[in-house]
Each structure stands twice: as structure tokens, then as C-alpha cells.
Amino acid sequence: MRESGPPPERFSGVERGERQDRPVAQEPVAQEPDSHARKDPLHVASLEKAFRVMGAFSSGRRDLGITEIAEATGLTKSAAQRFVHTLTALGYLERDEETRRYAPGIRLLDLGFLYLRHDALAERASPFLVAASERCGERVNLSEFDGSDIVYTFRIPKRTMGYINTVVGRRLPAFATSGGRAVLAALPEDEALRIVTQAERKALTPRTVTDVDSIMAGVADARRLGYAFTDSEILLGELAVAAAVLDHRGHPVGAVHISVSNGAWSEARVREDLAPLAMETAQTISRPGPSTRRRRE
Amino acid sequence: MRESGPPPERFSGVERGERQDRPVAQEPVAQEPDSHARKDPLHVASLEKAFRVMGAFSSGRRDLGITEIAEATGLTKSAAQRFVHTLTALGYLERDEETRRYAPGIRLLDLGFLYLRHDALAERASPFLVAASERCGERVNLSEFDGSDIVYTFRIPKRTMGYINTVVGRRLPAFATSGGRAVLAALPEDEALRIVTQAERKALTPRTVTDVDSIMAGVADARRLGYAFTDSEILLGELAVAAAVLDHRGHPVGAVHISVSNGAWSEARVREDLAPLAMETAQTISRPGPSTRRRRE
DNA sequence: CTCCCTTGTATTGCATTGCGATACAATGTG
DNA sequence: CACATTGTATCGCAATGCAATACAAGGGAG
């Protein structure tokens, strides 16, 4: 249900390493101008443009001026002006009166909340994730599978390796994360291969594995072991294990991640101690229900 | 900067108790039809309508049909059809092919993430919140002040009293929360009074205090003590203390909350042990910086 | 300090785009 | 099996959003 259909390209795309704050090249952030502009008579073009404006902010820069937005989105300055104006009036952008630049507004959290509060998977999982975190004393995360990405929906911070790793809503490519590989391992081989092949395999750290064969080897390992393991592929110095969460049909819908610092943990201990915990927790959450992610009203 | 300007009415409005799942009357969820439709030539009406559609989902129901959406928003069925269609194509709504009903899509989290990842207050606060939580073993939250509400931006779950109390992005009226009262106590008295008076003071539990004088008494207590205390006003059986976080000018921008169950804690112990921790943490975070909530690039 | 260049803001006439009434199809209910 | 209800498709009209352009306001460089 989620995985079918023409994947409406996500503006977030691959979030770069974050915090690694390189200048972030001024690339044309948003997708091709007329992506959806097929002759669909029900399609409201203004809406797509407005979201393209929001998408301009996913390139890493916090605030943007009108002209920058126009450039990043490919809209004319007039159009950018109008959409920014309206989005600001609605509270989804905030204007700094000093600099006359715009930044995402706190109102955006209302939208995320609309999803989260009815997220049956996160709701069902939350007590078990807390329990797991208390047992091992480390960061436990729940992610949900979406297209070729995973999206964190429940996170338990500990003595944290950086704020960004505690933020709900972060989207990462499946191929590079432990949770993603665990999910891929639970898919039919050809589908996993398709996802990995088609993904834009950009390295997030120097240690991100980007060639298809190596990734698929990691997926095979995960299939054999029941969990996936990664080392420094998203953040240098971070070890992670994850196990897939399945719906009633056995399809993967997300994963339970446990992440630790390689200062405190060796790979061996992570595999011995944490992997079973991740698997057990994922198992517990996996159970049945016709709709696994959403709460039936 | 945030608190000035005509408060663009929020569709989330006052989120009701949640989990208390009463039927949630089928009221006209969204705001008056033409709120912003002043003669502003830069205002694009389609956008506002689209967000009104999203707003229809803030009434508590998880999924809605086209007709329900049309009714809830005051749009014609045609308009509802078009916006729902487009929002679905963009991934912000998801369609259940079985029931042909629509629900908020996981893509919405991308939007929330746009705000959170550059939230300087949450970023700066996170390690101290984690430390505080480890010290007392209870749920520690950070909220940010917005208009007459507070919005949670960083939450540390423990053996949780319900999933909903762990969700980032939840918006609650300032008057009824400990954090909100702490914030109000840090405002000039007349401004606090104005906010409380103008708020739609709907009870979230039988124990929510809704009359202005009592609320202002609580605010006065908070001003005197340096922290606010509430008992069961949001959730029955929950005790909470909170202290305001100030920016470099001394204006309140948010609050540090600590919430516990009244089974495990008495009011006296909460006031003795947790209130100082909340105050200390808030103090630590408060510090300076020209823009407190946002990270300068 | 002042000029100039860049960036944000306001205006306007035009036609494209979104509009809503209505007709049609499909569910599932009595 | 018929009917009520809800979702889907069509279409002509004009309102709404469009882009070009003119104007104002900062902010560096010299």
C-alpha cells in the first residue's frame, strides 16, 4: 500500500551527513520543474509549487531570501514571492524582520504531529523500545520504511552523539542504515536489489558503503543473522544494529535500531549483546493486525 | 519576533485530551472560510485551502473520506476532491485503497524535520535534558512558546504514561500546562493576563483549571517560586513541574518540564526534588545569543 | 560617505488555472 | 435487489494566480 504507486519524489531526498556542515553546494535543490504536471486535470499546480518552496529549505541552509528561493526552486521571483508570502501568513515560514530572510516555522510541527499521533506502529512499539533502552542503556530508535528510505518515528536519546541523531522525522536512505538493511533483507531479493540499485548512493561519511555488491552482501548477512550491522556509515564512530519489524503478512514495515559509540563498545559486544535485544524487541512489536502502522479508529 | 504580528490562527488549535477518545463531535473543524482572504494580492488562496484540508485531520479522526473533508473544511466537494488528490500525489496524504479514505502521510514528518533540525534551543538543550532525565529517572520535556500555546520539541520518554505524551509536535494551551504557566510567569503580568483571558479555556481533564483568576494565581505562584506546578490538568494522575527558559533579553522562549505519575511521587517530593532540577536545567539552557531558538548558520 | 549593485516589495494587464455544478459510477445497506 | 450514499470524471466560465516590470531599500566597495 505504501510501497506501490509512482514514488512521488521526496524533496527531502537524501539528507546529507548534517553537522558535517560543509558549505553545501548551492545546487538546484528541488526536483525537476514539472514533475507532476502531467495532464491530470485534478492536479493543483500551486500546491506543488508551494511545497517546492518548502523543499528549498531541505538543502541544509537554515534561512533563505526570496531570490535564493526562486533560484533553488526554479520559480520566478514573482512566484516565489507570492508563495513565501502566503506560507508566512499561514505560519509555516517565519520571517526575520532584521535580515528579511525566511526559515521554517514551528507550525510545521503541527503537520508532523498529524501523522505521529495516529502512528499505530510507534504507539505499539513505544513501551518496548523504552524497556530495551533501559536494559542496555543505549539509544534505541524506531524507523519506518518508506519507498527507499527509512524515517525515524520514535527515538530515545541517551548521552547523545549529536542532536541530529535524536530528531524524529529524519529520513535516511535504506541502503546505508542498519535498519534499512534489515528491512531490505526481509524483502524479496529482487526487490531489495532494485531499491539499492535505483537509490542515489551518495556517501554520508568516508566509510559509507556505496557499491551495490557490498551493500547486497550486507543485506545477505542480515538475512542470515536476523539483524543488520553497520559501522560509521552514517556517523563516524557510531556502531548500529537493527532488526526488521514485520506486518501480519511478513512484509517489513520498519526496524528497531540500537546505536552506540565505538568508544564504549566493540563490534563483538554489539553483536553479542545488542543484536539479540534488537531482534527480540522487533519480534515483539511485529505481530499482526491488518494495518500495522496505523491505528484503527 | 515570534510573539508579534497578527497570530495566524492555528488549525491545530487546542488539541483535546487525546487518548480520552471521546467521539469528538463532528464540528466544523477548520477556521472561518475566508480568514486571510483580505484583499492581499499576494495571497494565494489555493494554499490556504490545501492546509485547511490538512486541518480537517486535526479533529481527532484518523482517516476521512472526500465528503467528510468537504464538510469539515467548508469547501465544495469538487475542491476537496482536487486538493486531496494533489496532496496524495505529493505524498502528504495516503489513500487506503480498500476504504477509499485518506489519512496523513509519513511525508509530513519531512516538514516537521525542516524545523527541528535547525532548532537551536532544542539542540543546545538536548544534552542537559538527557542529563536531567538520567539524574531523576523521569520524563523530561522541552517545549517552545508559540502564541498562546506551547509546543513540545524535545522529549525523553520513560516508562511512559501513554504514547501521546512522548510525541514531538504536540501543541497544548499554555494556561493548562506547567511549562505554559512558567512561561506566563516570565511575561509582563498584563500580557500573561491577556493570553489567558483570550485563550479558549477548555478543560482537558476534570481537573483542568479554567477560570482566569485561579490560573493567574498559579502563574503568580510560579513567578514567586521560579517554577510552575500542575496536578492532573492535562492527564489524570500526572504531576508536573516546569521552569521557563529565557532568551538574552529575559523573554521566555520555552520551558523545561518534568512529569511524573502521582503513584510514584507526592506533590511534596516533586516540589522538593524535581522543581530545583527543572529550574537548574532551564537556567543552564537560558543563556544568551541574539537568536535563542534558531541556530545561526 | 555616497554610489552602485543586489535583493526585497508593489503594481498591473492578461490568460491560465483552478472553480463548482452536474452527471456518472461504484459500494454496501436495508 | 433497489436505493441511498460516497467517490470519480467532465466541462465551460471567469476569477485567480501569473510574470514582467517598475520601485524602494539595504549594504558593500571604493
Side-chain angles (χ1 to χ4, degrees), chain B residues 29 37 41 44 52 65 119 162 215 217 230 249 279:
Chain B
V29 162
V44 0
R52 193 135 86 242
D119 185 333
I215 293 168
T230 56
R249 299 175 154 173
M279 284 190 285

Side-chain angles (χ1 to χ4, degrees), chain B:
Chain B
M1 186 170 301
R2 158 74 39 64
E3 40 275 318
S4 69
E9 67 291 305
R10 45 199 58 75
F11 67 61
S12 267
V14 171
E15 287 302 340
R16 58 205 74 251
E18 290 288 346
R19 298 280 50 180
Q20 256 73 313
D21 277 333
R22 23 183 155 172
V24 173
Q26 184 75 355
E27 316 166 47
V29 162
Q31 65 276 56
E32 55 277 25
D34 53 358
S35 43
H36 277 289
R38 52 192 171 216
K39 293 267 67 76
D40 187 339
L42 292 181
H43 198 260
V44 0
S46 309
L47 249 191
E48 184 171 352
K49 289 177 197 159
F51 283 114
R52 193 135 86 242
V53 168
M54 292 311 307
F57 291 92
S58 63
S59 65
R61 315 207 30 142
R62 188 186 83 76
D63 50 10
L64 297 171
I66 292 276
T67 317
E68 286 169 304
I69 292 172
E71 282 167 2
T73 55
L75 301 176
T76 69
K77 206 166 87 170
S78 301
Q81 180 189 191
R82 248 169 309 112
F83 287 112
V84 164
H85 180 88
T86 308
L87 286 167
T88 304
L90 293 172
Y92 297 105
L93 287 179
E94 286 176 9
R95 175 189 161 100
D96 184 328
E97 294 297 340
E98 287 276 324
T99 64
R100 254 167 280 190
R101 295 167 72 79
Y102 297 84
I106 197 171
R107 181 72 54 88
L108 290 171
L109 293 184
D110 292 1
L111 297 171
F113 181 70
L114 287 182
Y115 179 80
L116 286 176
R117 72 162 172 189
H118 286 139
D119 185 333
L121 178 55
E123 178 169 18
R124 174 153 39 84
S126 58
F128 301 103
L129 299 171
V130 170
S133 173
E134 285 179 356
R135 229 163 97 199
C136 69
E138 296 290 345
R139 283 160 42 218
V140 174
N141 297 302
L142 177 72
S143 68
E144 296 179 19
F145 182 44
D146 184 37
S148 60
D149 302 322
I150 58 145
V151 180
Y152 289 104
T153 53
F154 195 90
R155 314 193 73 164
I156 300 168
K158 291 287 170 184
R159 301 266 166 210
T160 164
M161 291 173 78
Y163 168 70
I164 194 66
N165 296 305
T166 67
V167 180
V168 163
R170 169 117 113 134
R171 181 183 286 270
L172 289 171
F175 80 86
T177 55
S178 56
R181 295 216 186 124
V183 163
L184 292 172
L187 291 172
E189 171 99 23
D190 59 338
E191 195 173 341
L193 181 60
R194 185 182 55 74
I195 290 174
V196 172
T197 308
Q198 291 178 359
E200 179 197 10
R201 294 182 305 285
K202 185 151 40 173
L204 302 183
T205 74
R207 305 209 35 199
T208 306
V209 175
T210 58
D211 88 283
V212 174
D213 291 345
S214 306
I215 293 168
M216 291 307 290
V219 170
D221 286 348
R223 191 176 295 118
R224 185 165 44 82
L225 297 168
Y227 70 89
F229 172 89
T230 56
D231 177 357
S232 300
E233 297 207 30
I234 299 295
L235 183 69
L236 288 173
E238 183 189 67
L239 307 181
V241 285
V245 176
L246 309 178
D247 69 10
H248 65 297
R249 299 175 154 173
H251 295 158
V253 293
V256 174
H257 306 231
I258 305 180
S259 308
V260 300
S261 154
N262 69 3
W265 292 76
S266 68
E267 171 171 345
R269 278 192 57 228
V270 168
R271 287 184 184 273
E272 271 170 47
D273 298 351
L274 299 182
L277 182 57
M279 284 190 285
E280 182 191 323
T281 306
Q283 182 86 20
T284 307
I285 299 166
S286 279
R287 279 179 346 207
S291 174
T292 325
R293 287 173 51 176
R294 298 316 199 67
R295 186 198 316 160
R296 285 268 157 244
E297 176 97 6

Side-chain angles (χ1 to χ4, degrees), chain A residues 42 46 49 76-79 82-83 98 100:
Chain A
L42 292 181
S46 310
K49 289 177 196 159
T76 69
K77 206 166 89 169
S78 301
R82 245 170 313 111
F83 288 111
E98 288 276 325
R100 256 167 279 189

Side-chain angles (χ1 to χ4, degrees), chain A residues 3 6 11 28 43 45 128 163-165 167-168 172 175 189 225 245 251 257 264-265 271 283 291:
Chain A
E3 39 276 316
F11 66 61
H43 198 259
F128 300 104
Y163 167 69
I164 194 67
N165 296 305
V167 179
V168 164
L172 288 171
F175 79 87
E189 172 98 25
L225 296 169
V245 176
H251 295 160
H257 306 231
W265 292 76
R271 288 186 184 272
Q283 181 86 19
S291 174

